[in-house]
Amino acid sequence: MIQKAVMLCLGMALSLSTLSAQQCDLVLRGKVLHLENNQPIEAAYVWLPESSIGVATDANGNFTFRNLCPGKKTIQITFIGHKEIKQSIQLSAGTSNLTFKMEEEAVALSGVEVHGHREAVQTTTAVSTLYGEALLQSRGESLGESLKRVAGVTTFSTGNTISKPVIHGLHSNRILILNNGIRLEGQQWGAEHAPEIDPFLADELTVIKGAETVRYGPEAMGGVILVNPPALPTTDQSKTELNLVGHSNGRAGNVAVSHSGGSNIIKGLGYRIQGAARRAGNVRTPQYFQGNTGMSEVSGSAALGYSSTKLGTEVYYSYFTTQLGILRDSHTGNLSDLLEIIENGAPFTQADFTYTINNPKQVVTHHLAKVKAHYHLNPSWKLNFQYGFQQNNRQEFDRRRGDLNARPSLDLELFTNTAELFLEHNLKSQWTGSMGLNLIQQANSNLPGTGVTPLIPNYDLVNAGVYLMEKYLKGPLELEAGLRYDYRTLSAARYIGNDLQEANLNYQNGSAFLGGMYQLNANLAFTSNLGTAWRPPNVNELFSQGLHHGAAAVELGDADLTSEKSLKWVNSLEYETKRTSIELTGYTNKIQDYIYLNPTGETFVSLRGTFNVYEYLQADAFFYGFDLSGTYNFSDHFKGYAKGSIIRAKNTETNRYFPFIPSDRMDWGLSYEFGKDTERQNRLTLSQVLVAQQSREPDFDLAPAPPAYSLVNVGFSKKIQLFKHDFSVSMQVNNLLNTEFKEYMNRFRYFTADMGRNFQLKLNYQF
Amino acid sequence: MKNLRKVSLYLLALMVFGFASCKSEDPTQENDGEVITDVTLKFQELNASNALVGSVLSFKASDPQGIEVGKTPTIQSISLAKGKKYQMTIEVTNAIKGEDITQEILTEAAAHQFFFLGQVFDSSFFSIQYADAGGVALGLKTIVTVSSSTGTNNSNMRVVLRHDLNKSFPGASSPTFANFAQAGGETDLDLTFPVILN
């Protein structure tokens, strides 16, 4: 039923996009970029003297003039610290698309602004960014939860505290997360291992939906998530932001502070410090508390940067630590325990509210430090260097007897070094591009003393890559292509009982992409990107052997697995008018030798009872799907939005479905803005989330897919001036009707219903 | 230019340091701590005045490698006489580490409990009571009464050890509580002994 509704609504939203061609209405679109680094310039002023109209560029450097008459026009672009552009253009029928590159002023005038050097995403594939108001709405949520706001992104979660982003059906090691430009390297292979990052450090979360292996290295098969902090100030200006978030469900509290400033003594020197803390207790479903689902988290980051006209440097450090309680009843002793609780559909343990976190639990700490520098060899060529160091410690505690209870059953320490050297060019002609070298070194150790044979071995990994990318930009057309070659070695060792197990493995692969963007007319743009990606098998897929505690499963790795290779084709159509904006993305992803955990159907008997046996297998897979998102302004006050996504994934060898592929879903909402002055500072929102039942289930699952569900959320936000600064208050109620539901993509659907009604209060003050 | 050289030198030094320190540890042997390799049920006859008489009968279930795929545990048949009353004690050990887990279970009596199920109870061949010291419902020591008239000589008994359960859950005070899962917790042992009645 809901599935039908999803389809219907998607269809309706599509039909809204009927184009209306108007007579003699010319449109001029353009993009303003920094010549030296191709980054968009925000707030450059674009002026048409003949028509006496002007606009400022947006965050992506874009500007649009509408309703222009044909003829010769002068265009004038100014931006502080840059040479003015004055150009004559001929406007004829349709749309004109122009790109302007502004050169920095060589003369050091007083008050010249040295701009921050922030990396902008330059890609022709589908990109969605969460920032500003939308990001503010998501404050206090984990990275995975926040990104659910992007069409095509869902989560693969383990209860309410652990959620991993899923892009177009792929997650874990098949997507990449970049913390300020450095690949986040934790123990991402585990389904219950959440990314070690707090979105509070970012002022922008970007999702790239294409296969971006060439740019970012292996494993970026499903997509890339960029968690970007704001650019460092380069002038003597300071900004402080304070966030307070409270949730009724779990009685969670969240505080986050960030402060950035620039030096007035040393021009171009800027800094930023940021910290956040979060505490939550047991989560409540509509009927009961989930025992031991509290969490606590502390994170922070600091950055110091110096920018001069030619040199830009940045030192960055981020810290993240969390303690996560795992639902007590999800940790089962054997298969009959597991089946009993699945049949019960709810935990047996009656829990009350508490903040106390007992075993089973996870304690994870992540340090990331990076140094970055770039040097402008000349206005067209730039040399970049980036080095990152990461340390990840993961401890997982089970319920154990005696002294062992205080000792982790899994105690991993992972060091990662990443180094990148690349040369970018941005020629005054239409060509831009980069070439570079990329090195990843990783060392994983099991810390002794767990009293458990390690799930994965100790290993050393080195990955070296070289790449080349080139982009051609002319008017409405952008074309881009790239090539990359990677070589990886892996040497692993571990004791199983008294036997030393060793393995030395090598993998190598080439990858390539070709992409383009074409502005069809004033309102319609088309992008297409075809990219190959590869992913070497992960250590757990190669070497798992033994009992997965709590999951009542014995998992068997296979050291002979080969690399996965994928070919992803993403197409997207963007339509934008004053009232309507629609984005439709369609993709196919053909993955050769897709690695998956297959139930063998066998059981294994021990003194502890019976366990299911799973093994890692490879098969060819085919994924395809659509994402649709759109907004429509009914009036100045009244807005509506809808978005949805559909994914299909099949094992093309057996023609069967894979487990844990998101079901069809959509959400839509209405907002009404009102207020005394023109700024309309009050906003009322109503939204509904519709999730269909996953009818494409694999042959084996412990429990059938949960039924479809619908959730209603309401919110009210108000912006006021407090001591002459922006203060915003927002109140949201999620799951207003306290609907009991289970989400197919939540591994805890076997044990418990999902979160019930949750009142949220969010305060944000910027000064 | 001079600055640049200095900066790049620092960076290089940092990188060399970082990469050099990045080497995994040599693997160490880990003795699985919580593994149970042997479960021994010991029966000794009780006479009419509840005094222990006769010799101790031991029946053992063992899995020398603990939990290891491809190996199945060996379980001896329990052989008892009809119409007699026995005191049953359970010993649990980890032979790999030479650990006596019985003592640990006793120490954590509040979080552990044995349940006894299977055909011997379903068909009322056996009746059982907890007889642990201090009156706790634990099951390391029990009194088993074998019926004098059983329809068959071959039967079975299932022994389950639960950890972390709610011992005051309604029904959980009975050693033959079949819905033990509802009391919460997880299973540490779940094995079925063949029973021969003479």
Side-chain angles (χ1 to χ4, degrees):
Chain A
M1 184 58 208
I2 287 194
Q3 201 162 3
K4 267 190 190 149
V6 171
M7 296 298 288
L8 194 72
C9 292
L10 289 180
M12 269 167 58
L14 261 178
S15 62
L16 280 175
S17 67
T18 41
L19 315 182
S20 56
Q22 286 172 352
Q23 269 191 320
C24 197
D25 248 357
L26 300 187
V27 176
L28 172 63
R29 277 171 173 259
K31 199 180 187 86
V32 183
L33 304 169
H34 288 291
L35 176 66
E36 71 274 19
N37 58 11
N38 235 17
Q39 289 163 10
I41 298 180
E42 189 181 353
Y45 193 66
V46 189
W47 174 246
L48 298 178
E50 286 93 342
S51 316
S52 296
I53 47 171
V55 290
T57 55
D58 67 13
N60 296 315
N62 293 321
F63 67 87
T64 311
F65 289 104
R66 291 177 202 280
N67 307 322
L68 296 177
C69 301
K72 205 172 180 186
K73 296 258 174 343
T74 308
I75 188 162
Q76 221 172 318
I77 307 173
T78 51
F79 184 62
I80 190 157
H82 288 68
K83 286 180 189 157
E84 186 194 76
I85 291 176
K86 198 168 183 178
Q87 210 170 305
S88 179
I89 49 170
Q90 183 68 40
L91 281 182
S92 52
T95 311
S96 305
N97 269 279
L98 299 164
T99 304
F100 299 96
K101 293 180 180 178
M102 302 194 77
E103 199 180 334
E104 249 176 279
E105 210 123 33
V107 202
L109 300 167
S110 64
V112 160
E113 188 182 353
V114 182
H115 56 79
H117 296 270
R118 173 161 165 177
E119 296 305 324
V121 193
Q122 300 281 325
T123 174
T124 51
T125 189
V127 175
S128 301
T129 303
L130 208 63
Y131 63 95
E133 194 67 31
L135 188 66
L136 205 61
Q137 294 283 322
S138 78
R139 287 308 195 193
E141 295 171 6
S142 67
L143 182 68
E145 288 298 316
S146 305
L147 289 172
K148 269 184 168 174
R149 286 168 173 74
V150 175
V153 181
T154 46
T155 55
F156 181 37
S157 52
T158 300
N160 291 102
T161 44
I162 298 172
S163 73
K164 296 165 81 85
V166 180
I167 305 173
H168 290 168
L170 299 177
H171 57 81
S172 300
N173 277 309
R174 294 189 183 95
I175 64 166
L176 263 187
I177 298 171
L178 276 83
N179 176 346
N180 194 7
I182 298 276
R183 301 163 59 110
L184 186 69
E185 290 286 348
Q187 306 283 356
Q188 276 307 305
W189 48 270
E192 66 277 55
H193 301 171
E196 299 87 355
I197 193 163
D198 178 19
F200 261 121
L201 70 83
D203 78 332
E204 192 182 278
L205 302 174
T206 302
V207 179
I208 304 175
K209 294 175 181 172
E212 286 281 354
T213 298
V214 171
R215 204 180 307 261
Y216 299 109
E219 290 155 355
M221 180 175 282
V224 181
I225 292 165
L226 308 178
V227 180
N228 284 335
L232 285 171
T234 48
T235 54
D236 179 20
Q237 51 178 350
S238 78
K239 188 183 161 191
T240 305
E241 186 174 337
L242 181 68
N243 279 286
L244 288 172
V245 180
H247 289 206
S248 69
N249 202 328
R251 298 180 207 170
N254 202 173
V255 54
V257 192
S258 76
H259 175 74
S260 61
S263 165
N264 60 351
I265 304 160
I266 306 168
K267 208 164 284 293
L269 190 71
Y271 67 92
R272 181 185 60 248
I273 44 171
Q274 171 269 333
R278 179 174 162 82
R279 187 83 200 262
N282 284 352
V283 165
R284 193 177 161 82
T285 72
Q287 304 290 333
Y288 48 85
F289 280 106
Q290 298 178 345
N292 200 42
T293 51
M295 59 96 71
S296 72
E297 184 183 298
V298 177
S299 66
S301 70
L304 183 70
Y306 171 72
S307 294
S308 68
T309 40
K310 285 199 160 172
L311 180 74
T313 54
E314 188 188 324
V315 185
Y316 173 78
Y317 168 75
S318 90
Y319 171 78
F320 177 90
T321 184
T322 186
Q323 195 173 37
L324 299 164
I326 310 288
L327 179 70
R328 174 62 191 94
D329 283 38
S330 72
H331 199 270
T332 54
N334 61 19
L335 188 59
S336 60
D337 275 19
L338 182 65
L339 296 177
E340 286 260 10
I341 190 167
I342 288 171
E343 201 191 321
N344 196 47
F348 287 119
T349 308
Q350 307 284 316
D352 291 318
F353 180 81
T354 175
Y355 284 107
T356 312
I357 300 166
N358 290 315
N359 293 3
K361 69 176 177 190
Q362 300 179 358
V363 180
V364 183
T365 305
H366 195 94
H367 300 269
L368 184 151
K370 91 160 193 181
V371 183
K372 196 179 96 172
H374 70 248
Y375 186 76
H376 294 275
L377 301 167
N378 60 46
S380 310
W381 291 83
K382 185 170 105 173
L383 188 66
N384 294 270
F385 173 79
Q386 179 168 283
Y387 166 73
F389 171 80
Q390 290 174 76
Q391 182 184 348
N392 183 285
N393 286 82
R394 167 172 287 274
Q395 294 188 314
E396 296 186 6
F397 295 83
D398 288 331
R399 281 284 184 160
R400 301 165 91 189
R401 257 188 308 276
D403 303 337
L404 284 174
N405 201 43
R407 274 157 62 181
S409 324
L410 181 74
D411 198 351
L412 293 169
E413 185 170 56
L414 178 71
F415 289 103
T416 309
N417 283 294
T418 47
E420 253 177 286
L421 184 69
F422 59 103
L423 187 62
E424 281 177 297
H425 60 266
N426 192 356
L427 308 178
K428 267 195 172 166
S429 64
Q430 316 298 341
W431 294 92
T432 61
S434 64
M435 58 194 101
L437 298 165
N438 194 306
L439 202 62
I440 304 167
Q441 190 206 18
Q442 205 164 57
N444 182 63
S445 304
N446 284 281
L447 301 185
T450 56
V452 175
T453 300
L455 199 60
I456 62 165
N458 293 0
Y459 67 85
D460 289 290
L461 177 155
V462 178
N463 190 106
V466 283
Y467 67 91
L468 177 70
M469 281 187 292
E470 201 61 39
K471 185 173 176 176
Y472 175 76
L473 205 104
K474 179 145 193 172
L477 181 72
E478 271 182 47
L479 278 176
E480 197 183 16
L483 277 173
R484 184 182 173 108
Y485 170 79
D486 280 282
Y487 183 79
R488 175 174 292 199
T489 67
L490 176 73
S491 64
R494 125 178 101 174
Y495 274 101
I496 292 198
N498 296 320
D499 305 327
L500 179 66
Q501 220 189 28
E502 278 180 296
N504 290 298
L505 300 165
N506 298 316
Y507 303 93
Q508 54 179 323
N509 223 311
S511 41
F513 78 92
L514 178 67
M517 180 178 139
Y518 189 75
Q519 191 82 38
L520 292 151
N521 64 35
N523 310 105
L524 201 59
F526 175 71
T527 63
S528 183
N529 183 293
L530 185 67
T532 66
W534 72 293
R535 182 183 76 95
N538 205 275
V539 172
N540 70 311
E541 295 160 340
L542 295 166
F543 302 112
S544 276
Q545 188 185 20
L547 184 64
H548 188 166
H549 274 273
V554 170
E555 295 177 358
L556 302 175
D558 179 358
D560 295 328
L561 294 175
T562 54
S563 297
E564 289 180 347
K565 293 155 286 285
S566 87
L567 179 65
K568 188 171 183 180
W569 188 26
V570 192
N571 293 292
S572 111
L573 207 54
E574 266 179 76
Y575 173 72
E576 205 178 333
T577 64
K578 266 186 184 167
R579 290 201 144 182
T580 315
S581 108
I582 290 172
E583 195 183 325
L584 175 69
T585 303
Y587 59 92
T588 64
N589 196 355
K590 191 179 176 315
I591 306 175
Q592 203 186 327
D593 296 323
Y594 179 80
I595 301 169
Y596 66 104
L597 192 61
N598 181 59
T600 58
E602 289 167 31
T603 52
F604 155 67
V605 182
S606 75
L607 291 179
R608 201 178 177 135
T610 308
F611 300 95
N612 277 325
V613 180
Y614 292 76
E615 62 186 344
Y616 283 99
L617 291 182
Q618 291 192 290
D620 291 349
F622 187 69
F623 285 66
Y624 70 94
F626 302 94
D627 307 330
L628 179 74
S629 63
T631 59
Y632 184 74
N633 299 348
F634 297 97
S635 74
D636 284 352
H637 298 269
F638 200 42
K639 286 176 189 165
Y641 82 90
K643 61 174 191 276
S645 63
I646 289 171
I647 303 171
R648 299 286 176 265
K650 254 192 178 182
N651 179 335
T652 51
E653 289 178 18
T654 61
N655 221 17
R656 296 282 189 263
Y657 298 105
F658 289 114
F660 289 109
I661 299 297
S663 59
D664 299 345
R665 64 197 58 218
M666 73 162 294
D667 70 279
W668 66 278
L670 297 169
S671 73
Y672 181 70
E673 292 176 15
F674 59 99
K676 276 183 190 140
D677 53 28
T678 50
E679 295 220 344
R680 281 189 285 283
Q681 292 139 326
N682 303 306
R683 184 166 55 181
L684 212 52
T685 54
L686 173 72
S687 63
Q688 187 186 21
V689 181
L690 296 163
V691 178
Q693 179 168 8
Q694 182 53 282
S695 52
R696 291 161 194 84
E697 289 184 85
D699 289 345
F700 177 86
D701 197 347
L702 294 164
Y709 64 88
S710 139
L711 303 176
V712 176
N713 308 322
V714 292
F716 173 71
S717 66
K718 188 176 178 66
K719 254 188 213 150
I720 51 170
Q721 292 286 306
L722 191 70
F723 305 113
K724 292 183 182 165
H725 294 288
D726 282 342
F727 180 63
S728 97
V729 186
S730 129
M731 277 161 282
Q732 283 166 249
V733 189
N734 288 355
N735 193 0
L736 178 74
L737 305 175
N738 212 15
T739 306
E740 185 164 286
F741 71 100
K742 288 182 176 180
E743 164 57 50
Y744 179 72
M745 293 295 286
N746 187 342
R747 292 170 67 246
F748 278 6
R749 70 181 154 95
Y750 298 129
F751 314 112
T752 175
D754 229 298
M755 200 187 230
R757 187 188 293 131
N758 186 15
F759 292 90
Q760 302 180 10
L761 178 68
K762 297 177 186 182
L763 308 179
N764 175 277
Y765 188 50
Q766 299 181 15
F767 56 98
Chain B
M1 222 38 212
K2 211 173 158 192
N3 257 345
L4 186 69
R5 211 166 295 154
K6 222 191 250 172
V7 167
S8 45
L9 216 65
Y10 285 142
L11 287 178
L12 198 71
L14 193 81
M15 227 176 80
V16 168
F17 173 76
F19 278 77
S21 67
C22 189
K23 185 90 183 73
S24 72
E25 312 271 329
D26 287 335
T28 51
Q29 270 170 278
E30 202 68 64
N31 290 314
D32 284 321
E34 228 188 343
V35 166
I36 293 171
T37 59
D38 299 278
V39 179
T40 313
L41 305 189
K42 290 186 169 172
F43 291 86
Q44 195 176 9
E45 199 184 327
L46 288 166
N47 65 13
S49 51
N50 278 333
L52 289 165
V53 291
S55 57
V56 176
L57 306 164
S58 284
F59 308 102
K60 192 166 164 182
S62 62
D63 203 350
Q65 295 304 316
I67 291 172
E68 197 188 29
V69 181
K71 302 262 170 66
T72 44
T74 34
I75 302 175
Q76 293 179 339
S77 296
I78 298 170
S79 183
L80 297 174
K82 291 179 188 177
K84 285 195 172 165
K85 191 154 99 174
Y86 296 92
Q87 173 184 284
M88 178 173 79
T89 53
I90 302 179
E91 280 173 17
V92 182
T93 49
N94 173 0
I96 302 170
K97 271 180 102 175
E99 260 178 356
D100 177 17
I101 296 170
T102 321
Q103 195 50 46
E104 284 185 17
I105 295 171
L106 197 61
T107 315
E108 291 185 10
H112 287 86
Q113 193 168 342
F114 280 95
F115 293 100
F116 304 92
L117 306 155
Q119 200 202 353
V120 288
F121 298 103
D122 296 340
S123 306
S124 303
F125 299 162
F126 281 13
S127 64
I128 191 164
Q129 294 155 271
Y130 288 124
D132 300 281
V136 287
L138 177 60
L140 279 175
K141 192 191 273 182
T142 48
I143 308 287
V144 175
T145 312
V146 184
S147 163
S148 55
S149 58
T150 61
T152 172
N153 292 340
N154 292 302
S155 188
N156 63 68
M157 178 170 77
R158 182 176 164 208
V159 178
V160 175
L161 173 62
R162 294 288 288 181
H163 179 190
D164 220 21
L165 75 166
N166 172 13
K167 295 186 92 152
S168 52
F169 187 83
S173 57
S174 159
T176 55
F177 181 52
N179 296 324
F180 55 77
Q182 292 176 9
E186 64 189 85
T187 299
D188 279 356
L189 284 174
D190 187 346
L191 58 160
T192 301
F193 287 85
V195 175
I196 299 164
L197 299 167
N198 301 306

